[in-house]
Amino acid sequence: MDRLISSSRVLALLSLAHFLLGNPAHSALGITPPQLLPDEAGIVVTEVQSSTPNASRWSVRLVNWTPGAGEPTPVASDISPRFFSLAPGARQIIRAKVRDRGAYHRLIIEQVPDPEAVAQGLAFRFRFSLPIYRQPQEPLALSPNLPSAAGCYPFKNSQSLAVRLVLSKDLLGPNTLLPGESAELCRTAQTAKN
């Protein structure tokens, strides 16, 4: 009996691994638009569409987007809906009001684990973090000017707006930096030769 239970648990894990490897996380929800900008009233709107084969439940929250702050802190906001369910292929419009227009935020959409899957030890869930920018021109495209030798180099966003770093194939680093945020951009010896 234990062997049968173990075998079914292994089969469930293999099925989950096949699902995850064959379907990247971005395929659980189609999100339009994935980058948000508040309107004149401070409201952001996005639409999600399920592409999972089963019904799913989701939660939504608005958090501060602060560099290096660790786990993001939720902010008081009006979100509609705060929780929702999606049938396969179904769509949902999400609205949130940003009260502090001078700060950067992220809209977090998280899958609520199915209680039956949790009971079987499969508490995997999808999580999407959508950036909310302050200005329509954000993020600015910026190509950092760094030495061509291998190594890691400090880089600071000295712009007054968020930037999207346009990195050459031989540079590794973050995609987006907020105003005043610093990061290390690394060029390895192997990629520096190419």
Side-chain angles (χ1 to χ4, degrees):
M1 184 69 170
D2 288 340
R3 179 174 272 187
L4 180 62
I5 292 171
S6 296
S7 296
S8 47
R9 178 166 273 175
V10 167
L11 285 175
L13 290 171
L14 288 173
S15 297
L16 178 63
H18 179 267
F19 172 78
L20 295 175
L21 295 174
N23 299 299
H26 63 78
S27 68
L29 284 182
I31 301 174
T32 308
Q35 296 180 7
L36 305 171
L37 178 71
D39 65 13
E40 303 79 33
I43 296 174
V44 294
V45 179
T46 192
E47 181 180 45
V48 297
Q49 180 177 11
S50 173
S51 53
T52 60
N54 301 315
S56 53
R57 294 179 308 140
W58 301 86
S59 70
V60 183
R61 60 192 168 112
L62 191 67
V63 299
N64 283 321
W65 182 11
T66 309
E71 185 64 27
T73 55
V75 296
S77 62
D78 300 320
I79 297 173
S80 177
R82 174 75 177 85
F83 296 95
F84 62 94
S85 295
L86 283 177
R91 297 174 183 265
Q92 176 67 56
I93 298 210
I94 299 169
R95 292 177 175 83
K97 182 164 183 149
V98 175
R99 294 182 182 163
D100 181 1
R101 298 288 302 277
Y104 289 95
H105 298 86
R106 285 189 170 273
L107 190 69
I108 307 289
I109 305 170
E110 280 183 302
Q111 186 176 17
V112 176
D114 178 76
E116 187 175 309
V118 171
Q120 295 178 6
L122 302 172
F124 179 80
R125 62 184 179 182
F126 291 106
R127 179 180 185 180
F128 301 89
S129 178
L130 284 60
I132 300 175
Y133 293 105
R134 299 182 306 180
Q135 303 294 324
Q137 62 270 36
E138 291 181 294
L140 295 172
L142 182 68
S143 297
N145 186 12
L146 298 171
S148 59
C152 292
Y153 302 96
F155 182 81
K156 182 176 182 175
N157 176 11
S158 58
Q159 305 290 321
S160 61
L161 301 173
V163 297
R164 179 182 51 84
L165 296 179
V166 180
L167 301 177
S168 58
K169 291 180 184 178
D170 60 343
L171 278 175
L172 301 173
N175 293 329
T176 306
L177 290 177
L178 297 180
E181 184 176 8
S182 296
E184 268 198 347
L185 303 180
C186 295
R187 190 184 318 269
T188 64
Q190 182 180 15
T191 56
K193 292 177 185 176
N194 294 334

